[in-house]
Amino acid sequence: MPEKVNFDLDCPVIPFISGDGIGLEIWEASREVFDKAVEIAFQGEKKVEFKEILAGEKSFKKNRVWLPDDSLEKIKECKIAIKGPLTTPVGKGMRSLNVRIRQELDLYACIRPVKYYPPVPSPVKYPEKVDITVFRENTEDLYAGIEWDAASEEAKKLTEFMNKELGATLKENSSIGIKPISAHGSKRLVVKAIEHALVNSLKSVTLMHKGNIMKYTEGGFRKWGYEVAQEKYGDKIITEDEFYGKYKSEMPEGKVLIKDRIADMVFAEVLLRPEDFDVIACTNLNGDYISDALAAQVGGLGIAPGANIGDDCAVFEATHGTAPDNAGKGLANPCSLILSGAMMFDYMGWNRVADLIRTGTSKALKSGKLTHDLASQIQGVKQVTCFDFGRQIASLIS
Ligand code: NAI
């Protein structure tokens, strides 16, 4: 947790990026909910000042810059921000703005709690069994942005070097990407995951990896995860060996079980036995996949919140993209951003505001008046616009 300078004020400044596509719509709907929850929680004694900072298409149209330095500086200064989704053109050589924000602010933990909100339609029989928080490493792995096109000089040089000097057998004209995974990056992520489990009295942290194939990168993540668990929390955690041996399959009171699973098994097990997972700590690419799959398991991306947290600041964001097919039509579901806002208020220590937002959202989802993504799947439900749904949540906060 960073110094609480900004959050301790009666009117902290929270920078926001409305985002591209459906971003503007979901932001407007969310803002109304945030203001109402703060008002009810503090009866006017505290407020927040949402201050717009530019990024994405809005910024490019105005200043021909996709991500101005000023915006990053403002986030550093305020130690917090909330954002809608930003467009990244595929394969056009432009690096994802989201990845840049995470890397430049060293927001190394991407946290995605996945929980079921009835009556959201889900493809599985018991979605209510899912209550899992994914801690995805956010700065390393194949997302470090170290890759070259097959036709580039760099790829050719690297291929030649690896074949000649390192005994590799890379084919000519291979595109090459590098997958760096460090002890430092893995350990600090696993620490965040274990802290979360301890603070919330959760039973287990699962290290998800593909170390059977990628022994030094994914395998390193697993090894360093166990190491840091022992080094920092030796008296608070147990391993599976200890669980089955010393503790004879009885979980000792107040301890967290640290286990590990191969990534492909995790996908199967979260479907078959989701109740066996409380926290999943994983490398960047695995985390990207598993968090979207889990979100689908409870009914989709429209209600899945997320946070990117470092040691100095945090950015909260809807986990879905800009949904260009829905943009400007009032069809978007604002819940992902609204619930990301609840995570933000928890992070600030304004837990009452967060609780009000979650309760209001949960009630609104049961109201029979829903946005298009849900209304189109549930019989007898009235469809309302994104903004009206936000207004409905706000009206249910009391
Ligand atoms: P997407 O998440 O925008 O859309 C996938 C599907 O989910 C679409 O059918 C969309 O209509 C629907 N959807 C997403 N959010 C919704 C919501 N709140 N309410 C109702 N329906 C919703 O993913 P896609 O199409 O792959 O990406 C579009 C753009 O967004 C790309 O430029 C991509 O790079 C960017 N993106 C940005 C992210 C971010 O800013 N964190 C994350 C993911 C994608």
Side-chain angles (χ1 to χ4, degrees), residues 22 26 83-89 98 102 301-302 317-326 331-334 373:
I22 58 170
I26 59 172
K83 69 174 274 292
L86 294 170
T87 307
T88 304
N98 303 301
R102 291 168 199 163
L301 285 172
E317 66 174 340
T319 56
H320 55 74
T322 56
D325 49 339
N326 280 340
L331 298 175
N333 184 339
D373 54 326

Side-chain angles (χ1 to χ4, degrees), residues 131-206:
D131 191 353
I132 302 173
T133 303
V134 177
F135 279 71
R136 162 188 172 194
E137 203 292 322
N138 228 0
T139 60
E140 305 194 323
D141 202 348
L142 293 162
Y143 287 68
I146 314 172
E147 64 165 357
W148 293 279
D149 182 80
S152 69
E153 271 311 303
E154 289 88 346
K156 283 182 191 145
K157 265 193 203 162
L158 200 54
T159 302
E160 196 182 315
F161 172 75
M162 290 177 72
N163 287 351
K164 272 199 185 148
E165 306 285 331
L166 304 179
T169 51
L170 295 180
K171 292 187 183 65
E172 262 183 49
N173 289 323
S174 296
S175 288
I176 296 181
I178 306 266
K179 180 181 172 80
I181 305 271
S182 71
H184 172 71
S186 304
K187 285 185 174 183
R188 65 181 182 170
L189 184 270
V190 174
V191 164
K192 277 255 184 293
I194 297 177
E195 289 284 346
H196 176 82
L198 287 168
V199 168
N200 295 289
S201 307
L202 302 175
K203 290 189 300 289
S204 71
V205 173
T206 305

Side-chain angles (χ1 to χ4, degrees), residues 131-388:
D131 191 353
I132 302 173
T133 303
V134 177
F135 279 71
R136 162 188 172 194
E137 203 292 322
N138 228 0
T139 60
E140 305 194 323
D141 202 348
L142 293 162
Y143 287 68
I146 314 172
E147 64 165 357
W148 293 279
D149 182 80
S152 69
E153 271 311 303
E154 289 88 346
K156 283 182 191 145
K157 265 193 203 162
L158 200 54
T159 302
E160 196 182 315
F161 172 75
M162 290 177 72
N163 287 351
K164 272 199 185 148
E165 306 285 331
L166 304 179
T169 51
L170 295 180
K171 292 187 183 65
E172 262 183 49
N173 289 323
S174 296
S175 288
I176 296 181
I178 306 266
K179 180 181 172 80
I181 305 271
S182 71
H184 172 71
S186 304
K187 285 185 174 183
R188 65 181 182 170
L189 184 270
V190 174
V191 164
K192 277 255 184 293
I194 297 177
E195 289 284 346
H196 176 82
L198 287 168
V199 168
N200 295 289
S201 307
L202 302 175
K203 290 189 300 289
S204 71
V205 173
T206 305
L207 306 173
M208 174 189 184
H209 62 91
K210 192 72 188 162
N212 54 332
I213 305 297
M214 291 165 270
K215 299 192 189 299
Y216 304 113
T217 50
E218 295 278 325
F221 177 81
R222 171 187 180 275
K223 181 181 83 171
W224 294 315
Y226 277 118
E227 265 176 29
V228 79
Q230 282 302 350
E231 285 159 14
K232 277 198 86 146
Y233 306 99
D235 57 336
K236 298 190 176 111
I237 57 114
I238 63 164
T239 60
E240 266 186 322
D241 282 349
E242 290 171 321
F243 175 71
Y244 290 117
K246 183 174 169 191
Y247 294 101
K248 301 190 169 34
S249 304
E250 280 291 326
M251 199 54 205
E253 193 69 18
K255 302 235 182 191
V256 176
L257 176 67
I258 308 289
K259 53 183 173 165
D260 75 279
R261 293 287 181 275
I262 304 284
D264 31 310
M265 271 314 292
V266 175
F267 280 90
E269 287 191 5
V270 293
L271 276 170
L272 298 168
R273 289 184 297 281
E275 64 276 20
D276 287 356
F277 295 85
D278 298 297
V279 176
I280 295 176
C282 50
T283 51
N284 207 336
L285 183 60
N286 287 336
D288 197 356
Y289 295 152
I290 194 68
S291 47
D292 276 19
L294 281 170
Q297 203 165 319
V298 295
L301 285 172
I303 51 160
N308 300 290
I309 295 186
D311 289 330
D312 299 318
C313 58
V315 175
F316 297 81
E317 66 174 340
T319 56
H320 55 74
T322 56
D325 49 339
N326 280 340
K329 300 175 188 160
L331 298 175
N333 184 339
C335 286
S336 173
L337 193 58
I338 290 171
L339 294 171
S340 302
M343 291 178 78
M344 176 181 77
F345 285 111
D346 267 338
Y347 178 83
M348 292 166 61
W350 293 25
N351 307 82
R352 168 102 176 108
V353 179
D355 289 345
L356 286 169
I357 293 171
R358 287 193 193 99
T359 311
T361 306
S362 179
K363 282 186 194 162
L365 285 165
K366 290 178 194 148
S367 69
K369 284 183 256 162
L370 299 170
T371 46
H372 171 260
D373 54 326
L374 303 177
S376 59
Q377 298 182 66
I378 309 174
Q379 277 205 337
V381 159
K382 183 172 181 267
Q383 184 176 321
V384 294
T385 64
C386 174
F387 190 71
D388 284 344

Side-chain angles (χ1 to χ4, degrees), residues 75-108:
I75 301 176
K76 282 186 200 160
E77 183 195 316
C78 297
K79 300 186 180 304
I80 201 162
I82 184 159
K83 69 174 274 292
L86 294 170
T87 307
T88 304
V90 179
K92 289 187 191 157
M94 195 183 98
R95 250 181 103 197
S96 158
L97 298 180
N98 303 301
V99 173
R100 262 188 68 200
I101 291 173
R102 291 168 199 163
Q103 289 186 343
E104 295 203 16
L105 298 172
D106 199 23
L107 304 173
Y108 60 85

